[in-house]
Amino acid sequence: MRPAIPLAAPWRLALLLALLVGFILYGSLYPFRWRALPPGVDLGALLLEALLRPPGGRGDILANLVLYAPLGLLAGLILPVRWPGIARVLLPTLAGALLSAGVEGLQLFLGGRVGSGADLALNTAGTLAGAVLAVALGGRTLLAAVVRPRLADPMAAALLLCWLGWRFYPYVPALDLQAWKDNLKPLVLHPIIEPLRMATLLASWTGAALLAEAAAGAALARWLVPLGLAAALAAEVVIPGKALTPAEALAITLALPAWAVLRGRPAAAPLMATALLSALLVERLEPFAFAGPPRDFGWIPFASLVGGSLGAGVQAVLAKLFLQGALLWWLLRCGVPLLPAAGLLVAVVLAGSVAQCWLPGRSAEITDTLLALGLALAFRALRPRAVPAAACGWRARVARSQRA
């Protein structure tokens, strides 16, 4: 039997798993306002009511599935490949079910939170899906034969998954023709192109296309990237809650020739790093209307995300992980060591968060900075393969000057 995917040493994956469990516990138990049960309340009846409570909206259902899937994937990859596949599926699934059951039970004693049997089932299903994927990737399967040789850079694949999760959320197309018309209204009724937004989207779309090539290989990317961009354009029309604006339509259209021009060129790394850094600054500082007095800076992580819709929160986290992670990935491709590259990312994100104290309609808090630190740890754990000096003109010039 072939060994499991050599993504990283087991202890590195265990570190990522511990960070993920900590995130789940924090997000599920925040704001930690414990309460005692009122006198006369039957705990058994309360548990039965929670088990029978129906699930939330479609966004929350999908978010519960997505939240626990990485748990099953990481746990399945950590377990020894010599173990039977059924054990590497059942053990992570059982662990995910126990974690979810503990969280849902504790939520009965939290003010403002409610436990749900539907959430327990969805979380268990998400863990099961992740564990099955881990076993499929690690064994002699068609999926492993296609994916495993292509994973030269696991971080590129992970960032691409973040992009897909962000852009295709909530993943189920609408069957109502009127919903499609509503998504097309901004393109037809308000054909005004916002240059800054278009440039930001173009950087993200082109970055996603180049990441897909790095994760899947040049041969597979020849048809995968055009197909993916076409599917993303269609998703803006058929997925409910989306809206195809002129800026998005133009950005998706230009991303294909931009990818074709930049793929394989040494100038792609510094150009994309600059473009994504600019996109991150725009994302942090819009609408550029600074006004006083400043609001308080939020030191409680994920407060705005946990306080709102779970589905919207997961989508926002995926978007931030993609944009920040893609910038860090390209900085490494330029030959910048991980520590200064991560330092630059954290500094830019933190400065932007502080500046949001003066921006209307923005929540200035520590969350995005913690996401940037988490990305740096993920890059350190997965340890992407070193990039050849020829991949970046700047690095090659440095090498030549040192030899001289």
Side-chain angles (χ1 to χ4, degrees), residues 60 73 84 129 150 176 182 226 255 258 278 287 298 378 386 396:
D60 287 344
L73 176 63
R150 307 292 183 183
D176 184 8
D182 292 339
S278 302

Side-chain angles (χ1 to χ4, degrees), residues 99-119:
L99 175 64
S100 179
V103 165
E104 298 301 326
L106 289 174
Q107 285 182 346
L108 299 177
F109 303 91
L110 278 173
R113 308 301 294 267
V114 290
S116 170
D119 289 349

Side-chain angles (χ1 to χ4, degrees), residues 43 76 94 98 119 151 161 178 203 260 263 265-266 367 381 396:
L43 180 59
L94 178 60
L98 291 175
D119 289 349
L151 282 179
L161 287 176
Q178 183 59 45
R263 61 193 302 248
R265 296 183 180 272
T367 300

Side-chain angles (χ1 to χ4, degrees), residues 284-298:
R284 306 303 297 157
L285 301 178
E286 280 187 318
F288 304 101
F290 298 94
R295 298 185 304 278
D296 292 335
F297 187 82

Side-chain angles (χ1 to χ4, degrees), residues 78-102:
I78 290 172
L79 294 176
V81 71
R82 64 179 181 273
W83 287 16
I86 188 67
R88 289 186 287 133
V89 169
L90 290 181
L91 287 178
T93 303
L94 178 60
L98 291 175
L99 175 64
S100 179

